Amino acid sequence: MNIKIIKVTLLCIILLLFDLIRPLGYSLNSELAILGIFFLAYNLDLNHSLLLAAFLGLCKDSFSLDRFSFSAIEFPLLCILIYNLSSLFIFNRRPSQAMFIKSIIVFFCLLLHAVYSSLLNRVFDFYWSLSFIFQSYLIWFMINYCLKQLVIYEKTRN
Amino acid sequence: MYLPSRFKPRYILFASLIVALGFFPLKQPLKALFLFLSDKPHFLAKSLYQQKNQNLESENLALKLQIKELEHFAHENQSLRKALKLAEAKGISIQAADIITFSPTNWRRNAFLNKGVNDNVNIGDIAIDENANLLGKIVDAGNETSQIFFADDPEFKSTAFIGEHTFGLLSGNLTGAKLLYVEDGENINSGDTVWMLIPGSQLIIDVGKVRNVQKNDNSLFWDIEVSLFTRKHISKRVFLIQ
């Protein structure tokens, strides 16, 4: 198995574990597992990202204490959405434009996740949802910039 | 050499924007991170004195509850009620439990505890924090573990009081809680304490403070928003009243 896939898998599992143990309680208004899904959707090919997203969704559903939890379906669907939107808008663009479009796609996916979760749990709070989206967005940027160097790029020394 | 006077204003503006964007949405998490790190030495040393510490904390909490109870009844008919409640309060016991895992979704506020039926934990037991404020309620109990709904969980429901006689149904809404079906809300003001009675005893625990009071013309009931006293569940220990 490719070393990159193992690294991304480990990263996603660590993010899911952080969601479960919550060292900062509920003061951090973000779901790290879904940020891991965005990360793998952008850094792995579609087949691997779908498989991994389904596995992570299944793990999340298993640990979830709720009656209804459909992350095993939601995560692969998000992967397909990111893949399709990216191939539609990012293809053949300059890196700066691609980064901007990538950010918009992540924002859109976070918005979708917030709406879906609000409907599923029958609770809606505008400012709370806004805080969720912005905090998740910032953490995604951090993950994308800080961990990408560690996980994706191999160190090349001659 | 880079002196502050030689910085270009646009760089300062850009840096300020980044700091502002990063700081404001992440203000609460950063605060929690500092609290978590300041609590870390205690967290690492807890295995040494865990049991002893748990017992002491439970005893301390029971005493705090009794003090609260005494303070509350000082406003009412003093001697007779106090004696009665103290006698009843002796029947309860408080047990410490630790949180194993939280729910991975942010739209719920529930967790698994490391105590179950084998430790006399039952469905409906009320959980409080180290300051004797309401934390949540046990909704499911297995042999070794149990499940708790925190007070800000959307499915948490319990009766709560404001003042002497006004009561309603306390229901969580992620950012705090709401008191539903309150008919006589004319005398309720922002800042009033919300409290509840432990079922089966006459113990009183604080829930939070009234944040906002509103009356909708089309509704019979008042809309009362409550801000809870609990600290976003940063502490991983709960105390169960049995």
Side-chain angles (χ1 to χ4, degrees):
Chain A
M1 196 188 281
N2 191 347
I3 194 83
K4 191 167 90 172
I5 297 169
I6 297 171
K7 280 180 177 178
V8 174
T9 310
L10 279 175
L11 174 75
C12 290
I13 289 171
I14 289 168
L15 290 175
L16 182 64
L17 280 177
F18 265 101
D19 266 352
L20 289 171
I21 58 172
R22 288 190 184 272
L24 304 180
Y26 283 103
S27 54
L28 182 64
N29 192 2
S30 172
E31 285 180 25
L32 298 179
I34 201 154
L35 302 180
I37 297 298
F38 297 153
F39 188 78
L40 71 90
Y42 276 124
N43 293 301
L44 294 183
D45 60 290
L46 184 63
N47 291 340
H48 283 113
S49 61
L50 274 179
L51 276 174
L52 200 50
F55 169 71
L56 278 170
L58 209 61
C59 288
K60 194 186 165 195
D61 286 346
S62 315
F63 287 113
S64 184
L65 314 174
D66 311 332
R67 279 172 296 179
F68 306 109
S69 192
F70 303 110
S71 303
I73 301 166
E74 186 200 355
F75 285 178
L77 284 177
L78 278 176
C79 275
I80 293 170
L81 186 72
I82 289 173
Y83 185 80
N84 283 326
L85 288 176
S86 302
S87 40
L88 199 65
F89 294 115
I90 295 180
F91 181 68
N92 212 9
R93 300 256 183 189
R94 281 181 298 170
S96 59
Q97 286 179 336
M99 189 60 218
F100 179 69
I101 293 167
K102 207 190 256 191
S103 311
I104 289 178
I105 292 170
V106 166
F107 190 84
F108 176 67
C109 289
L110 279 170
L111 193 71
L112 270 184
H113 178 67
V115 171
Y116 164 76
S117 301
S118 298
L119 288 173
L120 192 69
N121 294 294
R122 288 165 295 158
V123 58
F124 183 75
D125 188 300
F126 178 73
Y127 291 108
W128 188 86
S129 301
L130 203 65
S131 143
F132 169 81
I133 290 169
F134 275 100
Q135 287 195 18
S136 304
Y137 202 49
L138 283 172
I139 293 167
W140 180 75
F141 270 110
M142 285 178 209
I143 290 173
N144 202 32
Y145 279 101
C146 303
L147 298 181
K148 205 170 180 179
Q149 299 293 328
L150 283 172
V151 177
I152 302 301
Y153 298 122
E154 304 277 334
K155 203 178 265 183
T156 50
R157 278 185 188 169
N158 295 322
Chain B
M1 190 170 130
Y2 292 99
L3 291 171
S5 59
R6 301 183 81 181
F7 280 168
K8 290 181 179 174
R10 64 179 174 178
Y11 292 146
I12 295 171
L13 187 71
F14 182 69
S16 311
L17 192 69
I18 295 289
V19 168
L21 274 174
F23 183 72
F24 284 114
L26 295 176
K27 198 169 79 173
Q28 284 293 330
L30 286 172
K31 197 174 147 190
L33 183 67
F34 282 123
L35 285 170
F36 174 69
L37 291 175
S38 63
D39 195 38
K40 203 67 187 165
H42 169 71
F43 180 74
L44 291 172
K46 78 173 182 184
S47 56
L48 295 172
Y49 302 104
Q50 197 170 27
Q51 192 56 46
K52 199 177 171 184
N53 193 23
Q54 277 186 3
N55 294 340
L56 285 171
E57 280 179 339
S58 301
E59 277 176 32
N60 185 24
L61 210 50
L63 290 170
K64 272 187 186 172
L65 280 173
Q66 285 186 4
I67 290 168
K68 254 185 200 173
E69 187 186 31
L70 289 172
E71 281 172 356
H72 177 77
F73 288 116
H75 297 295
E76 298 187 18
N77 300 324
Q78 298 278 345
S79 56
L80 188 63
R81 280 197 171 220
K82 210 186 288 177
L84 179 68
K85 304 309 172 197
L86 271 177
E88 285 176 0
K90 282 177 186 170
I92 66 143
S93 70
I94 291 174
Q95 190 175 33
D98 289 325
I99 292 172
I100 307 170
T101 61
F102 288 94
S103 172
T105 175
N106 246 33
W107 270 258
R108 295 302 305 276
R109 296 282 189 268
N110 48 26
F112 266 119
L113 302 180
N114 66 345
K115 299 275 168 75
V117 175
N118 293 348
D119 304 293
N120 296 324
V121 174
N122 296 309
I123 294 172
D125 283 354
I126 297 290
I128 54 176
D129 65 3
E130 63 273 11
N131 298 316
N133 299 316
L134 175 74
L135 202 61
K137 191 162 71 172
I138 299 291
V139 291
D140 194 15
N143 287 334
E144 301 291 335
T145 58
S146 54
Q147 191 184 337
I148 181 175
F149 277 5
F150 294 116
D152 47 355
D153 186 86
E155 289 195 13
F156 178 89
K157 301 277 182 293
S158 187
T159 311
F161 296 83
I162 305 172
E164 294 298 319
H165 304 294
T166 309
F167 66 95
L169 186 71
L170 187 77
S171 173
N173 64 355
L174 297 176
T175 52
K178 272 192 170 185
L179 207 60
L180 308 172
Y181 311 122
V182 176
E183 287 181 337
D184 46 348
E186 292 88 0
N187 300 322
I188 298 172
N189 299 311
S190 295
D192 286 356
T193 303
V194 182
W195 53 277
M196 66 183 289
L197 276 173
I198 301 293
S201 78
Q202 294 298 317
L203 277 178
I204 290 159
I205 54 169
D206 287 340
V207 174
K209 285 197 169 184
V210 174
R211 189 167 54 194
N212 192 19
V213 185
Q214 271 186 342
K215 177 83 166 81
N216 189 346
D217 292 337
N218 298 325
S219 172
L220 284 172
F221 306 109
W222 289 73
D223 283 338
I224 296 171
E225 287 178 25
V226 180
S227 62
L228 301 167
F229 285 138
T230 49
R231 257 181 48 199
K232 304 257 183 198
H233 319 303
I234 293 166
S235 169
K236 299 290 179 289
R237 178 161 298 168
V238 302
F239 297 91
L240 302 170
I241 301 177
Q242 293 162 341

